[in-house]
């Protein structure tokens, strides 16, 4: 027999749990962010007011259903796959790529965070919290389209200007003053041209039109050639190439990898003193190749290590500085190759940027080494 005292205690505890539940329900209900909860069979057991407002469905229309009826068909399958991998491993997952369809058939894009709720090691619920980013995405797209149109429009007159600057330099460059002015003009045009190319890359990245032409590439001759080219352009520095390997094969877009390496080398030159050396090395680490570009320049503070890869992020002012886009683009290129890019640095001593890329099967002897473009991307229009 359970004693009256125990029963009373139990009643108090149940009341407390009920009250707690009421508070949690109120909090979930009042959240401005849509929230959906399913049981471990993926049947909806709760949606809040914000979710009802977003989707147009009433709560009793959806309870017990699998949320897949919301799918628009526009979310990449890989996103759902990744989400499931995370949830099944008991990990949270967040993405900005989910596009769903409301009851009226209107598409909306959400920034979603998914997480499993566990009890005694067993997943009992899956929770999805959302933030409607449809309007934000539309504005981003308009901005990107505008950027792309503006960049294309600027490209043509810039090409003409560059030609004019070169003709002027050839015709009137024998006078030192003229030569300096025309060289400055040429350099500024190249800087603008570089910005235009970077903006076009950004607009391609953001609209998903950034495609790679992958082929078998031997990084050893490619990097050696890039080093030679950079040595001719940056006479103020000694650029040294080192590799233990005779051949390192990757499956990559040769032009894009060249763009990354030239960007890293250009930065190493830009942010270090004249007459110092810049070192580019290749080494094989397990199933990856690791490319490192080191300088003994001004360095980067530790707290900026991840920020330097963000868009328009610049720490140092530099007379020939770019616009803080180079490393952002480099990171997107490396990511597209399933690789990684990071930096290690000590302020006042120098920096080393690393790029790791997956190696091509080493048994594959069909080596492809494409001749490298003549023009250097940083100076190209
Ligand atoms: P930028 O065109 O301004 O060089 P990047 O995206 O290539 O743009 O680099 C972002 C910022 O990171 C630079 O403005 C600079 O402050 C810093 N940075 C990049 N490379 C180096 C380096 N090798 N040494 C010191 N700082 C660097």
């Amino acid at each position: 027999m359970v004693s009256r005292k125990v029963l009373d205690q139990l009643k108090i505890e149940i009341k407390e749990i009920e009250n707690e539940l009421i508070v949690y329900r109120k909090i979930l209900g009042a959240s401005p962010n849509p929230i959906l909860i399913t049981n471990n069979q993926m049947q909806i057991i709760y949606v809040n007011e914000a979710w009802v407002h977003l989707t147009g469905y009433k709560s009793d229309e959806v309870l017990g259903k699998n949320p897949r009826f919301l799918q628009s068909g526009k979310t990449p399958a890989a996103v759902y796959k990744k989400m499931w991998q995370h949830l099944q491993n008991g990990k949270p997952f967040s993405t900005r790529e989910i596009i769903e369809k409301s009851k009226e058939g209107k598409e909306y894009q959400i920034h979603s965070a998914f997480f499993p709720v566990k009890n005694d090691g067993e997943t009992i619920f899956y929770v999805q919290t959302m933030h409607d980013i449809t309007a934000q995405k539309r504005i981003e797209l308009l901005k990107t389209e505008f950027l792309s149109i503006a960049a294309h429009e600027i490209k043509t007159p810039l090409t003409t200007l560059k030609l004019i600057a070169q003709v002027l330099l050839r015709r009137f460059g024998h006078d030192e003053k003229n030569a300096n002015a025309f060289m400055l003009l040429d350099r500024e045009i190249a800087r603008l041209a570089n910005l235009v190319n970077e903006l076009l890359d950004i607009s391609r990245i953001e609209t998903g039109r950034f495609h790679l032409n992958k082929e078998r590439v031997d990084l050893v001759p490619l990097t050696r050639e890039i080093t030679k080219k950079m040595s001719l352009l940056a006479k103020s520095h000694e650029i040294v190439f080192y590799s233990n390997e005779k051949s390192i094969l990757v499956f990559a877009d040769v032009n894009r990898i060249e763009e990354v390496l030239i960007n890293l080398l250009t930065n190493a030159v830009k942010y270090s003193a004249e007459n110092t050396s810049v070192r580019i090395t290749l080494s094989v680490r397990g199933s990856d190749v690791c490319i490192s570009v080191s300088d003994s320049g001004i360095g980067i503070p530790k707290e900026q290590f991840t920020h330097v890869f963000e868009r328009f992020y610049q720490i140092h002012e530099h007379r020939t500085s770019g616009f803080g886009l180079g490393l952002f683009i480099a990171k997107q290129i490396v990511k597209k190759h399933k690789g990684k890019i990071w930096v290690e640095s000590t302020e006042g001593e120098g920096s080393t940027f690393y790029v790791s890329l997956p190696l091509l099967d080493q048994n594959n002897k069909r080596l492809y080494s494409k001749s490298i473009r003549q023009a250097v991307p940083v100076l190209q229009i």
Side-chain angles (χ1 to χ4, degrees):
M1 270 282 280
V2 182
S3 76
R4 187 161 187 86
K5 209 173 148 204
V6 173
L7 262 180
D8 285 348
Q9 184 58 32
L10 267 177
K11 271 188 196 161
I12 292 170
E13 279 177 21
I14 289 171
K15 192 75 200 152
E16 275 173 5
I17 293 171
E18 268 176 11
N19 286 346
E20 251 181 61
L21 278 177
I22 291 171
V23 172
Y24 289 142
R25 266 199 174 253
K26 281 266 178 247
I27 295 172
L28 289 179
S31 162
N33 289 96
I35 298 172
L36 177 147
I37 305 177
T38 70
N39 59 17
N40 57 8
Q41 303 297 306
M42 286 308 291
Q43 290 161 323
I44 300 176
I45 57 162
Y46 176 81
V47 288
N48 70 351
E49 259 314 298
W51 187 90
V52 170
H53 184 73
L54 172 72
T55 63
Y57 287 102
K58 295 213 174 72
S59 138
D60 51 12
E61 286 178 280
V62 299
L63 290 181
K65 284 194 182 169
N66 184 307
R68 77 165 70 93
F69 70 91
L70 294 157
Q71 289 179 5
S72 64
K74 298 248 172 97
T75 310
V79 172
Y80 289 120
K81 200 172 152 201
K82 219 166 161 189
M83 174 191 88
W84 270 117
Q85 278 167 354
H86 276 74
L87 293 181
Q88 278 167 352
N89 289 325
K91 288 186 194 153
F93 177 73
S94 92
T95 174
R96 289 168 59 87
E97 289 185 81
I98 293 189
I99 301 172
E100 292 185 338
K101 226 163 47 182
S102 74
K103 190 173 176 184
E104 279 183 352
K106 239 169 86 184
E107 280 171 6
Y108 54 87
Q109 185 157 356
I110 42 180
H111 182 183
S112 294
F114 298 86
F115 55 92
V117 177
K118 293 193 169 203
N119 193 8
D120 281 342
E122 286 267 323
T123 298
I124 46 171
F125 303 123
Y126 293 107
V127 179
Q128 182 190 7
T129 64
M130 304 158 223
H131 176 57
D132 184 4
I133 54 169
T134 317
Q136 191 186 331
K137 276 277 159 188
R138 202 168 297 134
I139 292 170
E140 277 172 19
L141 192 69
L142 280 175
K143 250 172 37 192
T144 313
E145 276 169 7
F146 170 75
L147 262 186
S148 165
I149 293 168
H152 273 295
E153 289 299 319
I154 298 169
K155 214 172 160 155
T156 320
L158 265 185
T159 316
T160 318
L161 276 177
K162 188 166 174 66
L163 279 175
I164 293 173
Q166 281 165 358
V167 170
L168 285 174
L169 184 64
R170 230 175 292 131
R171 281 236 197 127
F172 306 107
H174 39 266
D175 176 279
E176 199 185 324
K177 261 196 197 151
N178 283 343
N180 286 342
F182 296 141
M183 275 188 313
L184 181 67
L185 181 66
D186 191 54
R187 208 169 56 218
E188 288 303 304
I189 292 171
R191 196 164 102 88
L192 260 181
N194 190 35
L195 171 67
V196 167
N197 283 332
E198 287 183 334
L199 290 177
L200 284 172
D201 274 351
I202 300 261
S203 89
R204 284 186 203 111
I205 290 166
E206 293 191 344
T207 50
R209 286 182 282 115
F210 192 74
H211 302 298
L212 298 181
N213 280 323
K214 286 194 186 172
E215 55 200 355
R216 286 178 186 79
V217 180
D218 190 343
L219 282 180
V220 178
L222 177 74
T223 313
R224 190 175 288 123
E225 277 306 308
I226 292 173
T227 310
K228 268 193 212 155
K229 240 168 25 177
M230 277 303 294
S231 301
L232 291 176
L233 279 163
K235 295 214 172 79
S236 53
H237 288 68
E238 186 198 19
I239 301 178
V240 191
F241 167 63
Y242 180 76
S243 168
N244 248 339
E245 316 283 332
K246 285 211 173 76
S247 159
I248 299 178
L249 294 181
V250 290
F251 192 55
D253 184 322
V254 71
N255 291 334
R256 290 298 185 183
I257 294 298
E258 186 184 354
E259 192 177 329
V260 172
L261 299 187
I262 286 191
N263 181 271
L264 296 182
L265 288 167
T266 308
N267 280 348
V269 167
K270 261 194 324 196
Y271 301 106
S272 63
E274 290 189 1
N275 301 320
T276 56
S277 48
V278 167
R279 193 176 154 90
I280 179 161
T281 68
L282 294 181
S283 56
V284 172
R285 295 188 187 174
S287 55
D288 293 327
V289 51
C290 184
I291 310 163
S292 72
V293 176
S294 313
D295 62 65
S296 26
I298 50 183
I300 297 170
K302 202 172 175 147
E303 63 279 7
Q304 314 273 15
F305 283 6
T306 50
H307 294 309
V308 289
F309 297 100
E310 289 167 12
R311 237 182 337 178
F312 295 115
Y313 200 90
Q314 291 184 298
I315 318 167
H316 316 99
E317 283 289 322
H318 190 274
R319 78 197 140 79
T320 60
S321 172
F323 298 86
L325 290 172
L327 287 178
F328 171 77
I329 294 169
K331 184 171 179 175
Q332 308 309 311
I333 294 174
V334 172
K335 258 168 70 178
K336 275 236 161 207
H337 282 87
K338 299 194 168 43
K340 287 193 188 114
I341 183 165
W342 70 100
V343 62
E344 280 167 17
S345 178
T346 309
E347 268 186 286
E349 288 183 20
S351 313
T352 303
F353 280 82
Y354 296 92
V355 171
S356 85
L357 297 171
L359 282 174
L360 193 68
D361 182 0
Q362 283 301 285
N363 298 324
N364 193 330
K365 294 285 178 225
R366 277 168 54 210
L367 183 148
Y368 185 92
S369 174
K370 197 177 160 182
S371 68
I372 303 164
R373 283 181 301 172
Q374 288 308 301
V376 176
V378 274
L379 302 176
Q380 208 186 26
I381 292 190

